[in-house]
PDB file of all heavy atoms in Angstrom:
ATOM      1  N   LEU F  16     -12.240  10.817   1.454  1.00  0.00           N
ATOM      2  CA  LEU F  16     -12.490   9.980   0.282  1.00  0.00           C
ATOM      3  C   LEU F  16     -12.057  10.696  -0.990  1.00  0.00           C
ATOM      4  O   LEU F  16     -11.449  10.081  -1.883  1.00  0.00           O
ATOM      5  CB  LEU F  16     -13.972   9.609   0.205  1.00  0.00           C
ATOM      6  CG  LEU F  16     -14.356   8.758  -1.025  1.00  0.00           C
ATOM      7  CD1 LEU F  16     -13.626   7.420  -1.010  1.00  0.00           C
ATOM      8  CD2 LEU F  16     -15.861   8.552  -1.101  1.00  0.00           C
ATOM      9  N   LEU F  40     -19.711   8.198  -2.225  1.00  0.00           N
ATOM     10  CA  LEU F  40     -19.297   6.842  -2.591  1.00  0.00           C
ATOM     11  C   LEU F  40     -19.689   6.512  -4.021  1.00  0.00           C
ATOM     12  O   LEU F  40     -18.931   5.879  -4.762  1.00  0.00           O
ATOM     13  CB  LEU F  40     -19.907   5.838  -1.618  1.00  0.00           C
ATOM     14  CG  LEU F  40     -19.361   4.412  -1.667  1.00  0.00           C
ATOM     15  CD1 LEU F  40     -17.861   4.392  -1.405  1.00  0.00           C
ATOM     16  CD2 LEU F  40     -20.093   3.544  -0.647  1.00  0.00           C
ATOM     17  N   ALA F  43     -17.208   7.993  -6.310  1.00  0.00           N
ATOM     18  CA  ALA F  43     -15.937   7.271  -6.269  1.00  0.00           C
ATOM     19  C   ALA F  43     -15.993   5.967  -7.051  1.00  0.00           C
ATOM     20  O   ALA F  43     -14.976   5.513  -7.584  1.00  0.00           O
ATOM     21  CB  ALA F  43     -15.547   6.989  -4.823  1.00  0.00           C
ATOM     22  N   LYS F  44     -17.150   5.356  -7.153  1.00  0.00           N
ATOM     23  CA  LYS F  44     -17.270   4.049  -7.810  1.00  0.00           C
ATOM     24  C   LYS F  44     -16.856   4.095  -9.273  1.00  0.00           C
ATOM     25  O   LYS F  44     -16.423   3.092  -9.831  1.00  0.00           O
ATOM     26  CB  LYS F  44     -18.700   3.534  -7.690  1.00  0.00           C
ATOM     27  CG  LYS F  44     -19.061   2.999  -6.317  1.00  0.00           C
ATOM     28  CD  LYS F  44     -20.494   2.477  -6.281  1.00  0.00           C
ATOM     29  CE  LYS F  44     -20.851   1.938  -4.907  1.00  0.00           C
ATOM     30  NZ  LYS F  44     -22.260   1.447  -4.857  1.00  0.00           N
ATOM     31  N   GLU F  45     -17.029   5.237  -9.922  1.00  0.00           N
ATOM     32  CA  GLU F  45     -16.693   5.354 -11.340  1.00  0.00           C
ATOM     33  C   GLU F  45     -15.306   5.956 -11.556  1.00  0.00           C
ATOM     34  O   GLU F  45     -14.965   6.315 -12.681  1.00  0.00           O
ATOM     35  CB  GLU F  45     -17.742   6.237 -12.036  1.00  0.00           C
ATOM     36  CG  GLU F  45     -19.165   5.704 -11.947  1.00  0.00           C
ATOM     37  CD  GLU F  45     -19.333   4.409 -12.724  1.00  0.00           C
ATOM     38  OE1 GLU F  45     -18.694   4.263 -13.772  1.00  0.00           O
ATOM     39  OE2 GLU F  45     -20.095   3.540 -12.257  1.00  0.00           O
ATOM     40  N   SER F  46     -14.495   6.041 -10.501  1.00  0.00           N
ATOM     41  CA  SER F  46     -13.296   6.885 -10.575  1.00  0.00           C
ATOM     42  C   SER F  46     -11.987   6.163 -10.296  1.00  0.00           C
ATOM     43  O   SER F  46     -10.948   6.795 -10.222  1.00  0.00           O
ATOM     44  CB  SER F  46     -13.435   8.042  -9.568  1.00  0.00           C
ATOM     45  OG  SER F  46     -14.671   8.706  -9.722  1.00  0.00           O
ATOM     46  N   VAL F  47     -12.018   4.860 -10.155  1.00  0.00           N
ATOM     47  CA  VAL F  47     -10.836   4.138  -9.688  1.00  0.00           C
ATOM     48  C   VAL F  47      -9.909   3.781 -10.842  1.00  0.00           C
ATOM     49  O   VAL F  47     -10.348   3.261 -11.872  1.00  0.00           O
ATOM     50  CB  VAL F  47     -11.248   2.868  -8.915  1.00  0.00           C
ATOM     51  CG1 VAL F  47     -10.036   2.008  -8.589  1.00  0.00           C
ATOM     52  CG2 VAL F  47     -11.982   3.259  -7.637  1.00  0.00           C
ATOM     53  N   ALA F  50      -5.540   1.317  -6.933  1.00  0.00           N
ATOM     54  CA  ALA F  50      -6.394   0.675  -5.923  1.00  0.00           C
ATOM     55  C   ALA F  50      -6.921   1.687  -4.906  1.00  0.00           C
ATOM     56  O   ALA F  50      -6.191   2.551  -4.434  1.00  0.00           O
ATOM     57  CB  ALA F  50      -5.627  -0.427  -5.215  1.00  0.00           C
ATOM     58  N   LEU F  51      -8.209   1.545  -4.569  1.00  0.00           N
ATOM     59  CA  LEU F  51      -8.865   2.402  -3.576  1.00  0.00           C
ATOM     60  C   LEU F  51      -9.572   1.514  -2.565  1.00  0.00           C
ATOM     61  O   LEU F  51     -10.579   0.872  -2.884  1.00  0.00           O
ATOM     62  CB  LEU F  51      -9.850   3.348  -4.251  1.00  0.00           C
ATOM     63  CG  LEU F  51     -10.693   4.236  -3.329  1.00  0.00           C
ATOM     64  CD1 LEU F  51      -9.807   5.059  -2.394  1.00  0.00           C
ATOM     65  CD2 LEU F  51     -11.593   5.158  -4.151  1.00  0.00           C
ATOM     66  N   LEU F  52      -9.042   1.475  -1.355  1.00  0.00           N
ATOM     67  CA  LEU F  52      -9.605   0.671  -0.271  1.00  0.00           C
ATOM     68  C   LEU F  52     -10.238   1.600   0.755  1.00  0.00           C
ATOM     69  O   LEU F  52      -9.677   2.664   1.078  1.00  0.00           O
ATOM     70  CB  LEU F  52      -8.514  -0.162   0.406  1.00  0.00           C
ATOM     71  CG  LEU F  52      -8.044  -1.447  -0.288  1.00  0.00           C
ATOM     72  CD1 LEU F  52      -7.534  -1.184  -1.692  1.00  0.00           C
ATOM     73  CD2 LEU F  52      -6.975  -2.133   0.556  1.00  0.00           C
ATOM     74  N   ILE F  53     -11.401   1.223   1.274  1.00  0.00           N
ATOM     75  CA  ILE F  53     -12.131   2.050   2.230  1.00  0.00           C
ATOM     76  C   ILE F  53     -12.367   1.242   3.502  1.00  0.00           C
ATOM     77  O   ILE F  53     -12.845   0.101   3.448  1.00  0.00           O
ATOM     78  CB  ILE F  53     -13.491   2.509   1.648  1.00  0.00           C
ATOM     79  CG1 ILE F  53     -13.283   3.251   0.320  1.00  0.00           C
ATOM     80  CG2 ILE F  53     -14.227   3.401   2.644  1.00  0.00           C
ATOM     81  CD1 ILE F  53     -14.583   3.594  -0.394  1.00  0.00           C
ATOM     82  N   LEU F  60     -20.281  -2.944  -1.119  1.00  0.00           N
ATOM     83  CA  LEU F  60     -18.979  -3.083  -1.754  1.00  0.00           C
ATOM     84  C   LEU F  60     -18.344  -4.389  -1.301  1.00  0.00           C
ATOM     85  O   LEU F  60     -18.567  -4.840  -0.170  1.00  0.00           O
ATOM     86  CB  LEU F  60     -18.046  -1.932  -1.374  1.00  0.00           C
ATOM     87  CG  LEU F  60     -18.246  -0.575  -2.034  1.00  0.00           C
ATOM     88  CD1 LEU F  60     -17.150   0.381  -1.574  1.00  0.00           C
ATOM     89  CD2 LEU F  60     -18.239  -0.677  -3.544  1.00  0.00           C
ATOM     90  N   PRO F  61     -17.534  -5.035  -2.152  1.00  0.00           N
ATOM     91  CA  PRO F  61     -16.781  -6.210  -1.705  1.00  0.00           C
ATOM     92  C   PRO F  61     -15.922  -5.850  -0.498  1.00  0.00           C
ATOM     93  O   PRO F  61     -15.374  -4.755  -0.433  1.00  0.00           O
ATOM     94  CB  PRO F  61     -15.921  -6.565  -2.914  1.00  0.00           C
ATOM     95  CG  PRO F  61     -16.562  -5.894  -4.080  1.00  0.00           C
ATOM     96  CD  PRO F  61     -17.249  -4.671  -3.557  1.00  0.00           C
ATOM     97  N   HIS F  72      -8.286  -6.839  -6.435  1.00  0.00           N
ATOM     98  CA  HIS F  72      -9.685  -6.743  -6.857  1.00  0.00           C
ATOM     99  C   HIS F  72     -10.019  -5.322  -7.289  1.00  0.00           C
ATOM    100  O   HIS F  72     -10.675  -5.103  -8.317  1.00  0.00           O
ATOM    101  CB  HIS F  72     -10.605  -7.181  -5.712  1.00  0.00           C
ATOM    102  CG  HIS F  72     -12.037  -7.268  -6.114  1.00  0.00           C
ATOM    103  ND1 HIS F  72     -12.648  -8.450  -6.482  1.00  0.00           N
ATOM    104  CD2 HIS F  72     -13.015  -6.319  -6.232  1.00  0.00           C
ATOM    105  CE1 HIS F  72     -13.905  -8.224  -6.792  1.00  0.00           C
ATOM    106  NE2 HIS F  72     -14.156  -6.940  -6.646  1.00  0.00           N
ATOM    107  N   SER F  73      -9.556  -4.340  -6.529  1.00  0.00           N
ATOM    108  CA  SER F  73      -9.862  -2.947  -6.841  1.00  0.00           C
ATOM    109  C   SER F  73      -9.305  -2.559  -8.203  1.00  0.00           C
ATOM    110  O   SER F  73      -9.986  -1.896  -8.996  1.00  0.00           O
ATOM    111  CB  SER F  73      -9.288  -2.030  -5.757  1.00  0.00           C
ATOM    112  OG  SER F  73      -9.557  -0.679  -6.044  1.00  0.00           O
ATOM    113  N   PHE F  76     -10.935  -4.692 -11.351  1.00  0.00           N
ATOM    114  CA  PHE F  76     -12.318  -4.333 -11.676  1.00  0.00           C
ATOM    115  C   PHE F  76     -12.575  -2.824 -11.635  1.00  0.00           C
ATOM    116  O   PHE F  76     -13.719  -2.386 -11.809  1.00  0.00           O
ATOM    117  CB  PHE F  76     -13.278  -5.060 -10.731  1.00  0.00           C
ATOM    118  CG  PHE F  76     -13.251  -6.554 -10.883  1.00  0.00           C
ATOM    119  CD1 PHE F  76     -12.540  -7.347  -9.996  1.00  0.00           C
ATOM    120  CD2 PHE F  76     -13.902  -7.171 -11.949  1.00  0.00           C
ATOM    121  CE1 PHE F  76     -12.496  -8.729 -10.139  1.00  0.00           C
ATOM    122  CE2 PHE F  76     -13.869  -8.548 -12.106  1.00  0.00           C
ATOM    123  CZ  PHE F  76     -13.160  -9.331 -11.207  1.00  0.00           C
ATOM    124  N   SER F  77     -11.523  -2.036 -11.420  1.00  0.00           N
ATOM    125  CA  SER F  77     -11.643  -0.562 -11.375  1.00  0.00           C
ATOM    126  C   SER F  77     -12.783  -0.129 -10.456  1.00  0.00           C
ATOM    127  O   SER F  77     -13.681   0.625 -10.842  1.00  0.00           O
ATOM    128  CB  SER F  77     -11.850   0.004 -12.784  1.00  0.00           C
ATOM    129  OG  SER F  77     -10.738  -0.267 -13.598  1.00  0.00           O
ATOM    130  N   THR F  78     -12.737  -0.592  -9.230  1.00  0.00           N
ATOM    131  CA  THR F  78     -13.795  -0.286  -8.273  1.00  0.00           C
ATOM    132  C   THR F  78     -13.198  -0.093  -6.884  1.00  0.00           C
ATOM    133  O   THR F  78     -12.190  -0.721  -6.550  1.00  0.00           O
ATOM    134  CB  THR F  78     -14.831  -1.424  -8.231  1.00  0.00           C
ATOM    135  OG1 THR F  78     -15.892  -1.068  -7.331  1.00  0.00           O
ATOM    136  CG2 THR F  78     -14.210  -2.722  -7.758  1.00  0.00           C
ATOM    137  N   PRO F  79     -13.790   0.759  -6.057  1.00  0.00           N
ATOM    138  CA  PRO F  79     -13.377   0.793  -4.653  1.00  0.00           C
ATOM    139  C   PRO F  79     -13.823  -0.489  -3.953  1.00  0.00           C
ATOM    140  O   PRO F  79     -14.815  -1.107  -4.351  1.00  0.00           O
ATOM    141  CB  PRO F  79     -14.099   2.021  -4.097  1.00  0.00           C
ATOM    142  CG  PRO F  79     -15.256   2.240  -4.999  1.00  0.00           C
ATOM    143  CD  PRO F  79     -14.859   1.734  -6.345  1.00  0.00           C
ATOM    144  N   VAL F  80     -13.088  -0.879  -2.944  1.00  0.00           N
ATOM    145  CA  VAL F  80     -13.463  -2.055  -2.152  1.00  0.00           C
ATOM    146  C   VAL F  80     -13.347  -1.705  -0.673  1.00  0.00           C
ATOM    147  O   VAL F  80     -12.632  -0.777  -0.293  1.00  0.00           O
ATOM    148  CB  VAL F  80     -12.574  -3.278  -2.470  1.00  0.00           C
ATOM    149  CG1 VAL F  80     -12.697  -3.673  -3.939  1.00  0.00           C
ATOM    150  CG2 VAL F  80     -11.122  -3.016  -2.099  1.00  0.00           C
ATOM    151  N   GLY F  81     -14.054  -2.466   0.161  1.00  0.00           N
ATOM    152  CA  GLY F  81     -13.925  -2.320   1.594  1.00  0.00           C
ATOM    153  C   GLY F  81     -12.741  -3.122   2.111  1.00  0.00           C
ATOM    154  O   GLY F  81     -12.346  -4.126   1.516  1.00  0.00           O
TER     155      GLY F  81
END
Side-chain angles (χ1 to χ4, degrees):
L16 178 62
L40 192 58
K44 284 181 180 179
E45 300 293 325
S46 309
V47 172
L51 175 55
L52 281 57
I53 304 173
L60 283 184
H72 187 97
S73 179
F76 296 100
S77 297
T78 183
V80 300

